[in-house]
Amino acid sequence: MTYYGIVASEGIVFGDVFHYEPFVPSISEKKINSADIDKNIKSYENICEKAKKEIQELIEQMPQRDTDKLKIFSAHIEIVSDVAINEEIRGYIANELYSPDYAINLVYDKYIKIISRSKDPLIRERAADLKDVKLRLLRLWFNVDNTSLSNLQKPVVVVASDLSPSDTATMKRENVLAILTEAGGITSHTAILAKSCGIPAVLGIPNITKELKPSETVIVDAIEGKVITNPTQDEIDYYAARKKEFNIKMEEAKSFLSIEPFTSDGVRIEIALNICSSDDRELAHRNYTDGVGLFRTEFLYMKNENLPTEEEQFEEYKKVLQAYKDKPVTIRTLDIGGDKKLPCLELPEEDNPFLGLRALRLCFDNLHIFKTQLRALYRASIYGNLWIMFPMVGSLEDFRLAKKITEEVKAELAAGGYDFRNDVKIGIMVEIPSIAVMADKVASEVDFASIGTNDLCQYLTAVDRLNPKVVQYYQVYHPALFRVIGNVAKAFREHGKPLSICGELSGDPLVTPVLIGMGIRKLSMNESSVAAVKKQISTLDMQSAKRIANTVLELETAEQVEAFLKSEAAQK
Amino acid sequence: MYSRRVVVQNKTGLHARPASDFVSMAKKIKSQITIKSIEEDVEVDAKSIVLLISLGAGKGTEVEITAKGEDEKEAVDSLVALIESKFGEE
């Protein structure tokens, strides 16, 4: 059988299926027999004891210096032994004859609701602790193993209906041969992570979790977007050859990886990386790139049920800054909301999350989260060349407020006797059309900017890119997008301020001539795109780049732009 | 019965770690203890961390601690002292 999906990250893999099902309890109102009250209370007490033991073991495995985390898990033990909760749960079992799982769910949900409604954000965060404890108890009640992707024993093809950010952030990457999911598009967090780690991934395959048997060997063709089960000998031979071919192509492309990116007439283009952690695999690419153009810090926040502490963040940023020495490392402050949810933060449901409380707006609303991150960033600044970038800036007021908070954090650090660099560059993401329109004013005020083409395209074309019903309206080659990029590029060139492009467009070799022709000199992309883009640059001269850019600005539709860029590429 | 009022002065208020410290001290006490947020007029069992967190006593909240039992006076005094010590913050 062959199953079809969307390729999120390329490669060809032969491997064994590993089904990953995160624990989702199914709870319904169940009654117990009045004769069994004592027995049920006893079972409830038993799972509480088991839960305490599990948490205790977690605590013992944690490094001692991580005091914040240790305290959080100690608080979890307190919650399990909480008098009020235990009394209510026992009451429901004894008086209402509710089965313990139903009672646990009821009582915990009640307090989760109360705490989530608090006006104090510090208190709201604690709802995550109750949720964590609740899930642990219910998992123990249903006697389900604590499976996770963090302890994969051998290399496997991971199959899941969807992967949550915390699944992808904690998975043991070296044992993940490929990822297959039912949900997800090419801009989902799973896709972003797979691409940045170079793990082949095919997403959006209907019913794949039911179709594949545990441990069966499959062929994943993450070039054409196919998964093949029970392959014939012919298919095996064919894919073995394709795999070899693909590897040779990758090797060949790799020869371009390490070249210094000059156009054929000698213009140096900076190629920076998009990364999402300080993982050694991501840092391994530092020698042939010009720094980090986008460090997506939200993955730090997605890893755990708790917010990352100042110390954790400091260590993470320090490691990246040290690895890149003098090369600029652009770290984007927390960009959460929209499609990205946090396990450690209770966010209200919104009708239009992409137009809602996300990124910088969310940070303004949760100042302590924002300030903790800024403190960690400034403390780490002495270890390298730090650039701080704010996401979702819609107006100069947004930028000024963020900068004012930054100044407050610096003053607090100075008062606390901390060292930090005073010359950290402060810039913005250009992704909201209003700020792109204001580019000339913006360019005189910010130190730098980077155009986030995924969000800019979505806001410009008014398309929710995760809504499959309207996805055909999300046109990455829309001429309007190129006109906006051209105007922003002009404004930044006139003010002599650095401008880069991050987002999918930056890693698309078809578009490279247009961007360079518009005067952009820095492109930031996933590692997997670097070789192809460098190759494209090496065969490009400025005169053709300008001609291609000017032509694109005169075209009428996305279809025309795409056809034109493909015809240009074919002429080489 | 013995009661005293005190204002929460530490930066993070009575949540997470301070709440945990408060509850572990309260649990060592024999008397029944309650804590009340004056502003919200809500009173809860001081030996329950979940109720204490739900009380939402942030910095600047005035609370009343009440104990009933053989060690009521020491109980209230030591819990008030703990709040006044700002739980070692700053």
Side-chain angles (χ1 to χ4, degrees), chain A residues 228-250:
Chain A
I228 296 142
T229 56
N230 302 317
T232 61
Q233 190 57 46
D234 282 355
E235 281 174 319
I236 293 173
D237 294 345
Y238 173 75
Y239 278 102
R242 291 291 313 271
K243 188 180 157 123
K244 211 168 155 190
E245 220 172 83
F246 179 77
N247 289 344
I248 291 170
K249 206 180 114 198
M250 292 300 283

mmCIF file of all heavy atoms in Angstrom, chain A residues 228-250:
data_model
loop_
_atom_site.group_PDB
_atom_site.id
_atom_site.type_symbol
_atom_site.label_atom_id
_atom_site.label_comp_id
_atom_site.label_asym_id
_atom_site.label_seq_id
_atom_site.Cartn_x
_atom_site.Cartn_y
_atom_site.Cartn_z
ATOM 1 N N ILE A 228 5.302 3.752 1.972
ATOM 2 C CA ILE A 228 4.998 2.474 1.321
ATOM 3 C C ILE A 228 5.124 1.334 2.310
ATOM 4 O O ILE A 228 6.158 1.183 2.971
ATOM 5 C CB ILE A 228 5.940 2.249 0.115
ATOM 6 C CG1 ILE A 228 5.659 3.352 -0.918
ATOM 7 C CG2 ILE A 228 5.746 0.870 -0.507
ATOM 8 C CD1 ILE A 228 6.873 3.849 -1.591
ATOM 9 N N THR A 229 4.042 0.525 2.410
ATOM 10 C CA THR A 229 4.095 -0.651 3.285
ATOM 11 C C THR A 229 4.190 -1.891 2.402
ATOM 12 O O THR A 229 3.831 -1.854 1.224
ATOM 13 C CB THR A 229 2.822 -0.750 4.149
ATOM 14 O OG1 THR A 229 1.693 -0.767 3.282
ATOM 15 C CG2 THR A 229 2.692 0.425 5.080
ATOM 16 N N ASN A 230 4.621 -2.996 2.996
ATOM 17 C CA ASN A 230 4.803 -4.254 2.258
ATOM 18 C C ASN A 230 5.405 -4.047 0.872
ATOM 19 O O ASN A 230 4.812 -4.425 -0.130
ATOM 20 C CB ASN A 230 3.456 -4.979 2.082
ATOM 21 C CG ASN A 230 2.827 -5.266 3.427
ATOM 22 O OD1 ASN A 230 3.520 -5.695 4.347
ATOM 23 N ND2 ASN A 230 1.538 -5.021 3.545
ATOM 24 N N PRO A 231 6.553 -3.412 0.791
ATOM 25 C CA PRO A 231 7.099 -3.112 -0.532
ATOM 26 C C PRO A 231 7.487 -4.391 -1.272
ATOM 27 O O PRO A 231 7.892 -5.378 -0.662
ATOM 28 C CB PRO A 231 8.341 -2.277 -0.224
ATOM 29 C CG PRO A 231 8.715 -2.636 1.174
ATOM 30 C CD PRO A 231 7.448 -2.979 1.876
ATOM 31 N N THR A 232 7.326 -4.383 -2.584
ATOM 32 C CA THR A 232 7.790 -5.496 -3.412
ATOM 33 C C THR A 232 9.311 -5.369 -3.554
ATOM 34 O O THR A 232 9.883 -4.311 -3.267
ATOM 35 C CB THR A 232 7.174 -5.417 -4.819
ATOM 36 O OG1 THR A 232 7.602 -4.171 -5.400
ATOM 37 C CG2 THR A 232 5.662 -5.448 -4.761
ATOM 38 N N GLN A 233 9.944 -6.439 -4.031
ATOM 39 C CA GLN A 233 11.399 -6.386 -4.204
ATOM 40 C C GLN A 233 11.768 -5.247 -5.164
ATOM 41 O O GLN A 233 12.731 -4.527 -4.956
ATOM 42 C CB GLN A 233 11.931 -7.732 -4.718
ATOM 43 C CG GLN A 233 13.457 -7.842 -4.697
ATOM 44 C CD GLN A 233 14.038 -7.597 -3.300
ATOM 45 O OE1 GLN A 233 13.556 -8.119 -2.299
ATOM 46 N NE2 GLN A 233 15.084 -6.759 -3.218
ATOM 47 N N ASP A 234 10.941 -5.075 -6.216
ATOM 48 C CA ASP A 234 11.190 -3.988 -7.162
ATOM 49 C C ASP A 234 11.185 -2.631 -6.480
ATOM 50 O O ASP A 234 12.038 -1.786 -6.726
ATOM 51 C CB ASP A 234 10.103 -3.986 -8.260
ATOM 52 C CG ASP A 234 10.368 -5.069 -9.293
ATOM 53 O OD1 ASP A 234 11.429 -5.723 -9.174
ATOM 54 O OD2 ASP A 234 9.520 -5.257 -10.185
ATOM 55 N N GLU A 235 10.185 -2.450 -5.597
ATOM 56 C CA GLU A 235 10.091 -1.162 -4.889
ATOM 57 C C GLU A 235 11.299 -0.956 -3.982
ATOM 58 O O GLU A 235 11.843 0.140 -3.889
ATOM 59 C CB GLU A 235 8.786 -1.107 -4.083
ATOM 60 C CG GLU A 235 7.584 -0.773 -4.946
ATOM 61 C CD GLU A 235 6.260 -0.845 -4.186
ATOM 62 O OE1 GLU A 235 6.074 -1.779 -3.375
ATOM 63 O OE2 GLU A 235 5.423 0.031 -4.420
ATOM 64 N N ILE A 236 11.696 -2.048 -3.307
ATOM 65 C CA ILE A 236 12.858 -1.940 -2.419
ATOM 66 C C ILE A 236 14.092 -1.522 -3.218
ATOM 67 O O ILE A 236 14.810 -0.593 -2.836
ATOM 68 C CB ILE A 236 13.109 -3.270 -1.669
ATOM 69 C CG1 ILE A 236 11.955 -3.534 -0.690
ATOM 70 C CG2 ILE A 236 14.441 -3.229 -0.920
ATOM 71 C CD1 ILE A 236 12.001 -4.891 -0.021
ATOM 72 N N ASP A 237 14.292 -2.171 -4.354
ATOM 73 C CA ASP A 237 15.449 -1.834 -5.187
ATOM 74 C C ASP A 237 15.375 -0.396 -5.678
ATOM 75 O O ASP A 237 16.352 0.350 -5.638
ATOM 76 C CB ASP A 237 15.522 -2.777 -6.409
ATOM 77 C CG ASP A 237 15.790 -4.209 -5.980
ATOM 78 O OD1 ASP A 237 16.195 -4.404 -4.815
ATOM 79 O OD2 ASP A 237 15.569 -5.127 -6.794
ATOM 80 N N TYR A 238 14.153 -0.035 -6.110
ATOM 81 C CA TYR A 238 13.954 1.314 -6.645
ATOM 82 C C TYR A 238 14.298 2.363 -5.592
ATOM 83 O O TYR A 238 15.051 3.309 -5.843
ATOM 84 C CB TYR A 238 12.502 1.464 -7.106
ATOM 85 C CG TYR A 238 12.135 2.866 -7.519
ATOM 86 C CD1 TYR A 238 12.580 3.389 -8.736
ATOM 87 C CD2 TYR A 238 11.352 3.676 -6.685
ATOM 88 C CE1 TYR A 238 12.240 4.683 -9.115
ATOM 89 C CE2 TYR A 238 11.011 4.966 -7.062
ATOM 90 C CZ TYR A 238 11.458 5.467 -8.270
ATOM 91 O OH TYR A 238 11.134 6.742 -8.639
ATOM 92 N N TYR A 239 13.756 2.166 -4.362
ATOM 93 C CA TYR A 239 13.985 3.176 -3.328
ATOM 94 C C TYR A 239 15.413 3.148 -2.784
ATOM 95 O O TYR A 239 15.934 4.181 -2.371
ATOM 96 C CB TYR A 239 12.931 3.081 -2.230
ATOM 97 C CG TYR A 239 11.674 3.790 -2.647
ATOM 98 C CD1 TYR A 239 10.566 3.096 -3.100
ATOM 99 C CD2 TYR A 239 11.633 5.177 -2.654
ATOM 100 C CE1 TYR A 239 9.433 3.761 -3.531
ATOM 101 C CE2 TYR A 239 10.514 5.856 -3.090
ATOM 102 C CZ TYR A 239 9.406 5.147 -3.522
ATOM 103 O OH TYR A 239 8.305 5.818 -3.949
ATOM 104 N N ALA A 240 16.037 1.976 -2.811
ATOM 105 C CA ALA A 240 17.440 1.929 -2.395
ATOM 106 C C ALA A 240 18.258 2.798 -3.352
ATOM 107 O O ALA A 240 19.147 3.558 -2.931
ATOM 108 C CB ALA A 240 17.942 0.490 -2.391
ATOM 109 N N ALA A 241 17.901 2.698 -4.664
ATOM 110 C CA ALA A 241 18.613 3.514 -5.654
ATOM 111 C C ALA A 241 18.307 5.003 -5.474
ATOM 112 O O ALA A 241 19.196 5.842 -5.526
ATOM 113 C CB ALA A 241 18.218 3.060 -7.063
ATOM 114 N N ARG A 242 17.011 5.298 -5.217
ATOM 115 C CA ARG A 242 16.625 6.711 -5.001
ATOM 116 C C ARG A 242 17.329 7.290 -3.782
ATOM 117 O O ARG A 242 17.756 8.436 -3.770
ATOM 118 C CB ARG A 242 15.112 6.827 -4.783
ATOM 119 C CG ARG A 242 14.232 6.547 -5.972
ATOM 120 C CD ARG A 242 14.333 7.615 -7.051
ATOM 121 N NE ARG A 242 14.242 8.988 -6.573
ATOM 122 C CZ ARG A 242 13.106 9.670 -6.441
ATOM 123 N NH1 ARG A 242 11.971 9.117 -6.769
ATOM 124 N NH2 ARG A 242 13.104 10.907 -5.991
ATOM 125 N N LYS A 243 17.440 6.441 -2.760
ATOM 126 C CA LYS A 243 18.074 6.887 -1.523
ATOM 127 C C LYS A 243 19.536 7.242 -1.792
ATOM 128 O O LYS A 243 20.029 8.264 -1.353
ATOM 129 C CB LYS A 243 17.972 5.779 -0.466
ATOM 130 C CG LYS A 243 18.431 6.204 0.915
ATOM 131 C CD LYS A 243 18.306 5.078 1.906
ATOM 132 C CE LYS A 243 19.256 5.342 3.042
ATOM 133 N NZ LYS A 243 18.663 5.413 4.336
ATOM 134 N N LYS A 244 20.176 6.379 -2.562
ATOM 135 C CA LYS A 244 21.571 6.592 -2.913
ATOM 136 C C LYS A 244 21.716 7.891 -3.719
ATOM 137 O O LYS A 244 22.572 8.731 -3.435
ATOM 138 C CB LYS A 244 22.068 5.404 -3.738
ATOM 139 C CG LYS A 244 23.534 5.106 -3.561
ATOM 140 C CD LYS A 244 23.854 3.768 -4.177
ATOM 141 C CE LYS A 244 25.312 3.706 -4.575
ATOM 142 N NZ LYS A 244 25.584 2.511 -5.377
ATOM 143 N N GLU A 245 20.834 8.030 -4.688
ATOM 144 C CA GLU A 245 20.790 9.221 -5.535
ATOM 145 C C GLU A 245 20.633 10.495 -4.698
ATOM 146 O O GLU A 245 21.333 11.475 -4.888
ATOM 147 C CB GLU A 245 19.549 9.098 -6.423
ATOM 148 C CG GLU A 245 19.647 9.517 -7.846
ATOM 149 C CD GLU A 245 18.344 9.109 -8.536
ATOM 150 O OE1 GLU A 245 17.370 9.883 -8.419
ATOM 151 O OE2 GLU A 245 18.283 8.011 -9.117
ATOM 152 N N PHE A 246 19.654 10.410 -3.772
ATOM 153 C CA PHE A 246 19.378 11.562 -2.920
ATOM 154 C C PHE A 246 20.612 11.913 -2.095
ATOM 155 O O PHE A 246 20.987 13.080 -1.974
ATOM 156 C CB PHE A 246 18.191 11.259 -2.000
ATOM 157 C CG PHE A 246 17.843 12.382 -1.055
ATOM 158 C CD1 PHE A 246 17.161 13.499 -1.505
ATOM 159 C CD2 PHE A 246 18.212 12.322 0.288
ATOM 160 C CE1 PHE A 246 16.846 14.540 -0.645
ATOM 161 C CE2 PHE A 246 17.896 13.362 1.152
ATOM 162 C CZ PHE A 246 17.213 14.470 0.689
ATOM 163 N N ASN A 247 21.257 10.862 -1.547
ATOM 164 C CA ASN A 247 22.449 11.111 -0.738
ATOM 165 C C ASN A 247 23.575 11.731 -1.560
ATOM 166 O O ASN A 247 24.271 12.619 -1.083
ATOM 167 C CB ASN A 247 22.922 9.812 -0.077
ATOM 168 C CG ASN A 247 21.956 9.384 1.013
ATOM 169 O OD1 ASN A 247 21.118 10.176 1.466
ATOM 170 N ND2 ASN A 247 22.044 8.124 1.418
ATOM 171 N N ILE A 248 23.711 11.244 -2.823
ATOM 172 C CA ILE A 248 24.748 11.825 -3.680
ATOM 173 C C ILE A 248 24.440 13.292 -3.954
ATOM 174 O O ILE A 248 25.311 14.153 -3.863
ATOM 175 C CB ILE A 248 24.869 11.040 -5.021
ATOM 176 C CG1 ILE A 248 25.450 9.648 -4.736
ATOM 177 C CG2 ILE A 248 25.728 11.784 -6.026
ATOM 178 C CD1 ILE A 248 25.389 8.693 -5.922
ATOM 179 N N LYS A 249 23.152 13.559 -4.214
ATOM 180 C CA LYS A 249 22.731 14.944 -4.469
ATOM 181 C C LYS A 249 23.022 15.829 -3.252
ATOM 182 O O LYS A 249 23.495 16.958 -3.374
ATOM 183 C CB LYS A 249 21.237 14.971 -4.801
ATOM 184 C CG LYS A 249 20.821 16.144 -5.649
ATOM 185 C CD LYS A 249 19.315 16.096 -5.939
ATOM 186 C CE LYS A 249 18.644 17.255 -5.259
ATOM 187 N NZ LYS A 249 17.195 17.062 -5.125
ATOM 188 N N MET A 250 22.744 15.273 -2.074
ATOM 189 C CA MET A 250 22.999 16.020 -0.847
ATOM 190 C C MET A 250 24.490 16.281 -0.674
ATOM 191 O O MET A 250 24.907 17.355 -0.262
ATOM 192 C CB MET A 250 22.464 15.256 0.373
ATOM 193 C CG MET A 250 20.954 15.160 0.448
ATOM 194 S SD MET A 250 20.163 16.765 0.536
ATOM 195 C CE MET A 250 20.469 17.152 2.250
#
